[in-house]
Amino acid sequence: MLLLKNIFPINTREHTYNLFSQNHVSTMFKYGNNFSSFENQKRSRKKLCYMKSEKIGHHQQYCQLKAISNVSAITMEDEKEKIIAQKGSNGIGIVDFFEGKNILVTGGTGFLAKALIEKMLRTTPKVNKIYLLIRAKDKEAAFHRLKIEIMESELFKCLEEMHGESYKSFIENKLIPIVGNIYEPNLGMDIITSDKIAQEIDLIVDSAAVTTFDERYDLALDANVNGPYQLMMFAKKCKNLKLFMHYSTAYANGEREGLILEKPFIMGESITKEKITSISPFTNFPPLHVDNEIDLVSKLKNNIINNIDLEQIMKNLGVERAKLYGWQDTYTFTKAIGEMMINNMRHEIPILIIRPSIITSSYKEPFPGWMQGFRTIDPLIFFYRKGDLPCLLGDPNCVVDLVPVDMVVNATMAAMAKHGNLQNSQLNVYHVASSSINPVSFSQIFDYSYNYFKLFPFVNKKGDKFDVKQMRYFDKILDVENYIWEVLSKQHEVQDGKELTKIQIRLIEKRVEYLKNFSKLYEPYLFDNDNTRKLMGDMSEEEKRSFEIDVTKINWRNYIEKIHILGVQKYVLEGNRIN
């Protein structure tokens, strides 16, 4: 789930707390156009919401699995018996599990966590309190962010219609904004607040991250490694904690090949080391340790005076370190290190890591097409509609792993309920992905986009209508560069009647560079999702309907043409300067 900040800087924030201050490093880590369908959705949404509310109200009571604290006492036979009992009765017990729970959420105003919060409030309304760690100067500012970014969000309209006049009081009773900062010790909270929450919390949801793939190495380490470290330190204070859930990414698997399994990362391991030892078992390769990376960054920063130089040096360093150890970019590299940090610190804390692939707009819930931010494949699709992306680098049959945000949320809640009930001191990894069971290719995505934009072509502010052409594919970057220069140069010359400006030339150069990065980032993968399939097998029929996670049901043509493109246009591009 990458937010492409350097292409289109939408809704991005740079954190202010510096992990690598001189006095902190030494002690660190010892531990469209056609919106009729959306209007129809709005008219029918109220009916849909009340139907769902009634279903929840009449939901049958679920069996609770007995919590087991001693993992050594659990045998494989016991596990089989539990699963058989679940299948024959009431499934996992998702709704019952969240009843009365107090949950701490980081990154709560972000795309994925916001969707998770909405689903919990809509389908498990007896959840007790959801504490949202929000960076703000004071409580008033934190509540303002809660009001603007969550309560008044389009995503929460279904919930608002369900509760009517009592919506505001319901939200204010359930969602508690907490002033803090995940990058700081004790999560930046004051002592009184920290102690109170530590006593109450049952579950932690970690969704905070920097998702820009070429972020500065120091900032990426701070967000994606220091953040989990500080949160794990806080988790150790929570005496009633039943589960720590961390959002990672399927692309944290780096340059692994073949069917990629749902296995945790261990500190010291790396993708490069795996490859080398598989060929030559006795070959030594430097282990990947987070404190070594911190020291490297700290020493380098102390020797750089010019901030302009520091920016580029840190970006280059991140890519270099990532590639050395077997990752494509700084984002996926630091997410993998963050997983290592959590595994290294967990001890008896039950850990759940959810690794989604490319997260896209909602498939069904709370309504189709909801999206926040311009992400991943969307720049490609919307460059294409304007004629700014006439070709792609790579195999047109290359599989692109997409998964709608509501299916990620549903898998998260089901897995949290399953492992929160068991409370085994284990680390469980789930890939929420489609490539191995319902693949879609680049050529299919752009054929479907072509179909849509032929019917509903892009019209700019001048009234010019853009006629899209069929996407072309090349296997050499030089051919891509030449073709893009040829097409875009003609396009701009025809429109303006004069030679290309420096701005236009720079724009074309950025398109070419973007294609290079994208083709490397999303090389073909097949993510095993055996744990997710088992999870679906554990669910009752009612749970399968209420918490849909079966990606084989997605018709990609219908989804791209009638849901996703419309959703991005409606919720991201309307009124935005990049439209």
Side-chain angles (χ1 to χ4, degrees):
M1 182 184 67
L2 301 186
L3 185 60
L4 300 166
K5 186 180 75 173
N6 291 336
I7 306 298
F8 293 115
I10 301 176
N11 295 331
T12 58
R13 295 186 183 88
E14 294 215 350
H15 47 270
T16 55
Y17 182 77
N18 185 1
L19 163 64
F20 305 102
S21 59
Q22 189 170 357
N23 62 351
H24 187 62
V25 173
S26 60
T27 59
M28 185 67 182
F29 299 129
K30 289 182 181 179
Y31 308 69
N33 300 309
N34 178 14
F35 295 116
S36 61
S37 63
F38 280 95
E39 297 306 316
N40 291 335
Q41 288 168 21
K42 285 184 177 179
R43 285 193 291 269
S44 63
R45 189 185 297 156
K46 190 169 185 178
K47 180 179 178 182
L48 174 67
C49 292
Y50 282 115
M51 287 173 63
K52 290 181 177 178
S53 179
E54 185 178 1
K55 182 185 288 186
I56 295 163
H58 291 85
H59 201 285
Q60 60 184 328
Q61 293 298 309
Y62 290 102
C63 295
Q64 286 281 5
L65 290 175
K66 184 180 179 181
I68 299 174
S69 59
N70 188 353
V71 65
S72 62
I74 300 176
T75 66
M76 291 300 293
E77 198 61 32
D78 290 334
E79 285 295 306
K80 289 178 182 178
E81 289 177 4
K82 287 188 183 70
I83 292 173
I84 290 170
Q86 289 170 355
K87 289 179 179 178
S89 56
N90 297 312
I92 297 171
I94 301 171
V95 173
D96 277 1
F97 172 74
F98 284 93
E99 182 175 344
K101 295 296 190 298
N102 293 306
I103 308 171
L104 175 64
V105 179
T106 69
T109 58
F111 174 49
L112 181 52
K114 188 184 291 187
L116 176 64
I117 292 166
E118 191 277 339
K119 176 79 176 190
M120 286 193 291
L121 292 176
R122 179 163 46 84
T123 60
T124 61
K126 291 185 180 180
V127 65
N128 193 33
K129 302 288 185 183
I130 302 177
Y131 294 98
L132 304 181
L133 191 72
I134 295 177
R135 288 199 304 157
K137 63 179 181 180
D138 53 35
K139 291 181 180 179
E140 184 179 350
F143 182 78
H144 180 73
R145 284 194 63 189
L146 173 68
K147 179 175 179 290
I148 298 299
E149 298 181 47
I150 293 181
M151 291 177 64
E152 297 178 359
S153 167
E154 183 73 17
L155 175 67
F156 284 73
K157 294 301 180 185
C158 183
L159 196 64
E160 183 176 359
E161 289 165 359
M162 283 173 59
H163 289 274
E165 293 181 358
S166 64
Y167 170 70
K168 183 179 178 181
S169 61
F170 172 77
I171 289 290
E172 290 180 355
N173 185 52
K174 297 291 183 182
L175 300 186
I176 313 298
I178 301 296
V179 178
N181 190 331
I182 194 174
Y183 309 134
E184 296 181 7
N186 213 35
L187 306 182
M189 295 184 285
D190 63 77
I191 297 299
I192 296 175
T193 302
S194 172
D195 290 345
K196 178 178 181 294
I197 292 177
Q199 290 175 13
E200 295 182 4
I201 288 301
D202 299 291
L203 306 166
I204 291 177
V205 173
D206 180 21
S207 186
V210 164
T211 57
T212 308
F213 69 84
D214 62 345
E215 183 59 274
R216 285 173 43 166
Y217 193 34
D218 54 341
L219 301 184
L221 281 173
D222 199 9
N224 299 338
V225 181
N226 178 39
Y229 167 81
Q230 300 292 355
L231 200 53
M232 285 296 292
M233 291 294 289
F234 179 76
K236 292 177 183 295
K237 302 177 184 178
C238 301
K239 303 303 181 184
N240 298 316
L241 187 66
K242 296 169 181 63
L243 187 71
F244 182 107
M245 199 289 296
H246 172 75
Y247 276 125
S248 185
T249 171
Y251 295 94
N253 286 288
E255 295 177 349
R256 285 174 172 158
E257 298 174 351
L259 184 64
I260 300 173
L261 303 179
E262 297 162 301
K263 54 182 288 190
F265 285 104
I266 299 172
M267 191 69 74
E269 294 183 343
S270 68
I271 310 300
T272 302
K273 187 175 182 179
E274 288 177 5
K275 290 182 176 181
I276 290 175
T277 54
S278 66
I279 298 170
S280 179
F282 301 104
T283 303
N284 289 324
F285 183 80
L288 171 57
H289 281 292
V290 64
D291 37 355
N292 293 341
E293 300 304 303
I294 298 297
D295 288 341
L296 174 65
V297 168
S298 178
K299 290 174 182 177
L300 195 56
K301 290 183 74 170
N302 289 336
N303 292 324
I304 299 173
I305 300 175
N306 191 318
N307 286 332
I308 298 176
D309 292 340
L310 177 64
E311 176 88 16
Q312 193 57 52
I313 288 171
M314 282 297 150
K315 282 194 173 188
N316 293 341
L317 180 63
V319 175
E320 289 170 7
R321 300 301 289 180
K323 291 185 179 300
L324 172 65
Y325 286 106
W327 280 265
Q328 303 94 327
D329 58 87
T330 308
Y331 165 64
T332 56
F333 181 45
T334 53
K335 287 299 288 183
I337 300 176
E339 285 193 35
M340 294 177 193
M341 175 62 66
I342 291 170
N343 195 2
N344 197 51
M345 296 179 68
R346 64 187 175 88
H347 302 302
E348 298 300 313
I349 298 175
I351 302 291
L352 172 64
I353 293 180
I354 303 290
R355 292 179 185 160
S357 57
I358 301 172
I359 305 179
T360 54
S361 61
S362 59
Y363 178 59
K364 288 182 180 178
E365 294 185 82
F367 44 84
W370 178 77
M371 188 71 166
Q372 177 173 296
F374 209 43
R375 323 179 90 80
T376 54
I377 64 168
D378 302 326
L380 295 177
I381 292 174
F382 288 91
F383 284 154
Y384 173 66
R385 74 167 183 163
K386 296 168 62 177
D388 287 343
L389 187 72
C391 64
L392 276 178
L393 174 66
D395 182 358
N397 297 316
C398 174
V399 172
V400 186
D401 201 306
L402 309 179
V403 60
V405 63
D406 48 337
M407 289 194 172
V408 178
V409 164
N410 291 338
T412 300
M413 291 183 67
M416 286 180 70
K418 176 178 178 177
H419 295 288
N421 275 323
L422 292 173
Q423 293 186 48
N424 297 341
S425 56
Q426 297 176 339
L427 189 155
N428 293 278
V429 176
Y430 283 76
H431 286 156
V432 185
S434 62
S435 56
S436 63
I437 53 177
N438 187 15
V440 60
S441 67
F442 267 122
S443 63
Q444 288 175 302
I445 290 172
F446 283 98
D447 284 347
Y448 304 153
S449 300
Y450 174 81
N451 294 340
Y452 179 85
F453 293 126
K454 288 299 285 185
L455 288 173
F456 307 105
F458 172 70
V459 180
N460 66 15
K461 293 179 180 179
K462 297 179 183 179
D464 300 323
K465 187 181 293 185
F466 287 75
D467 183 27
V468 294
K469 309 293 183 185
Q470 288 279 9
M471 179 65 76
R472 291 191 60 178
Y473 301 88
F474 297 98
D475 56 9
K476 296 179 181 178
I477 189 61
L478 184 59
D479 293 336
V480 170
E481 291 177 350
N482 291 338
Y483 189 70
I484 288 181
W485 275 101
E486 177 186 341
V487 172
L488 296 189
S489 296
K490 288 180 180 178
Q491 178 180 305
H492 287 296
E493 286 173 3
V494 169
Q495 287 178 356
D496 302 335
K498 55 186 178 182
E499 293 295 321
L500 292 173
T501 65
K502 289 183 179 179
I503 294 176
Q504 290 170 335
I505 291 172
R506 179 59 186 147
L507 186 65
I508 294 173
E509 290 174 344
K510 290 186 83 171
R511 295 289 189 275
V512 173
E513 189 63 28
Y514 170 67
L515 281 181
K516 288 181 184 178
N517 291 329
F518 190 92
S519 63
K520 293 174 184 176
L521 190 63
Y522 295 112
E523 291 174 346
Y525 286 93
L526 283 177
F527 296 113
D528 174 53
N529 60 351
D530 189 53
N531 286 342
T532 304
R533 290 198 297 272
K534 289 178 182 176
L535 183 68
M536 188 162 56
D538 295 342
M539 298 166 72
S540 68
E541 292 304 314
E542 175 65 22
E543 287 176 328
K544 289 176 184 177
R545 288 190 292 271
S546 300
F547 298 89
E548 178 67 76
I549 63 174
D550 188 358
V551 296
T552 64
K553 293 183 177 180
I554 300 173
N555 179 314
W556 289 115
R557 177 170 186 168
N558 183 74
Y559 175 74
I560 297 293
E561 293 184 18
K562 297 182 180 180
I563 296 176
H564 184 69
I565 292 176
L566 282 167
V568 176
Q569 289 184 153
K570 176 70 175 178
Y571 298 110
V572 180
L573 295 182
E574 267 194 351
N576 196 287
R577 66 181 180 83
I578 66 172
N579 193 28

